[in-house]
Amino acid sequence: MNILFLGDIVGRDGRDIIFRYLPKIKEDEKIDFTIANAENSAHGKGITIKLYNQFIKAGIDALTLGNHSYSKKEIIDHLKECELLIAPYNFEPYIHQGFKIFDVCGIRLCVCNLLGEAFMMPSRMSPFAAMDEILDKACADIYFVDLHAEATAEKILFGQYFKDRITAVCGTHTHVQTADERLMGNMAYISDVGMNGVYDSVIGRDIEEMSRAHIMMEKTRYTIASGPAILSGVVINIDTAQKIATSIKRIQIRPTSVV
Ligand code: FE2
């Protein structure tokens, strides 16, 4: 069984590159289940019901979120309709499901979303305690975790601590793909999957606006970048008989490699 996980989708150009390449990636990689992080999909912060429906229609099977889960307040009124949307289990305040179980290739796949603690907004519990609670509550064959966190060391520690109990840990939030994908025992791991967003940007945000805000110290409004985008994801192979990960492969399509 092959799982495709796409990193943070940032703004319109990030959405468009997903819509453009997803069918081909799914076919080429023989993907059985697709997960994407959509917490930055609506103009860089949050998600709307319209975008949720577009992603599902495009063939994404589950959507995870992060610290911007509810930045677009309208989504809160639609959460009951969004059965495939998974907000972090340890988000404060806890509003929406933190994990969900899917039947895929005859096995029960639990997709979990957690927030890290280091350099992040306060959460209602640590990701370690939260994962222990999920493992107590959920009855699944394999566990996929989107750990939405800033600090690489926290993500690696999480992976090492849970490697015998869960099947895949993929980091999100930094928007920069790390080259440390590996198996930790029988668990697939990568510190950050990277973003789907504008390549010439500051993690998806407009360079000029960021310069004015952080160098010239001007009061500016958050501005999403526009232009050619990078696509970032990973493909994880699962041995469904043994219920273990057997490989993790990075996928990246940069504007310069677009033909
Ligand atoms: Fe984030």
Side-chain angles (χ1 to χ4, degrees):
M1 170 175 128
N2 289 318
I3 297 173
L4 171 65
F5 180 53
L6 299 161
D8 304 58
I9 303 170
V10 186
R12 180 190 300 273
D13 293 305
R15 301 193 302 266
D16 286 348
I17 196 167
I18 295 291
F19 296 144
R20 180 175 173 193
Y21 285 102
L22 184 57
K24 181 164 170 40
I25 295 171
K26 286 175 77 168
E27 187 179 336
D28 290 352
E29 302 290 340
K30 299 180 173 52
I31 298 300
D32 298 293
F33 195 82
T34 301
I35 308 163
N37 184 298
E39 76 129 11
N40 302 121
S41 58
H43 199 71
K45 289 182 179 178
I47 184 171
T48 61
I49 184 67
K50 182 181 169 189
L51 295 183
Y52 170 84
N53 287 324
Q54 284 180 3
F55 289 135
I56 302 306
K57 193 176 172 194
I60 295 173
D61 301 297
L63 290 159
T64 50
L65 295 170
N67 52 306
H68 290 302
S69 293
Y70 310 120
S71 292
K72 298 285 181 287
K73 301 286 180 230
E74 61 134 280
I75 196 66
I76 295 172
D77 294 332
H78 295 278
L79 288 173
K80 277 195 182 140
E81 305 159 46
C82 299
E83 289 183 13
L84 308 176
L85 190 65
I86 302 157
Y89 183 81
N90 55 338
F91 197 95
E92 177 66 49
Y94 176 65
I95 300 176
H96 197 51
Q97 54 194 350
F99 65 93
K100 185 171 177 67
I101 297 174
F102 299 84
D103 213 331
V104 189
C105 300
I107 61 171
R108 290 161 59 83
L109 162 65
C110 183
V111 179
C112 316
N113 192 195
L114 294 169
L115 280 180
E117 283 190 306
F119 312 116
M120 298 289 283
M121 62 196 290
S123 50
R124 70 187 182 96
M125 67 172 81
S126 86
F128 296 88
M131 190 68 226
D132 275 327
E133 270 197 18
I134 293 172
L135 288 166
D136 280 346
K137 287 180 180 178
C139 183
D141 296 311
I142 62 171
Y143 294 84
F144 171 94
V145 179
D146 171 355
L147 180 54
H148 196 79
E150 188 74 52
T152 306
E154 184 182 22
K155 298 183 202 182
I156 293 172
L157 176 60
F158 184 94
Q160 294 286 4
Y161 183 73
F162 284 107
K163 66 186 176 191
D164 297 326
R165 289 181 280 166
I166 60 186
T167 324
V169 173
C170 293
T172 55
H173 180 68
T174 73
H175 295 199
V176 178
Q177 188 176 83
T178 54
D180 63 341
E181 80 282 8
R182 58 171 288 194
L183 292 175
M184 285 182 182
N186 294 322
M187 185 196 80
Y189 175 85
I190 186 168
S191 292
D192 207 294
V193 176
M195 75 166 175
N196 296 278
V198 174
Y199 189 53
D200 279 323
S201 69
V202 180
I203 62 170
R205 195 166 161 184
D206 183 73
I207 299 167
E208 172 67 24
E209 188 256 330
M210 284 288 275
S211 303
R212 288 195 289 114
H214 291 271
I215 300 170
M216 275 74 93
M217 307 306 286
E218 292 178 20
K219 199 167 172 27
T220 63
R221 291 192 68 174
Y222 182 96
T223 308
I224 202 88
S226 65
I230 185 172
L231 181 146
S232 308
V234 288
V235 175
I236 297 165
N237 180 262
I238 306 288
D239 179 330
T240 52
Q242 296 191 73
K243 302 181 179 65
I244 60 172
T246 57
S247 67
I248 175 169
K249 178 176 81 169
R250 283 183 287 128
I251 290 180
Q252 207 179 65
I253 303 173
R254 298 187 187 195
T256 49
S257 63
V258 172
V259 289

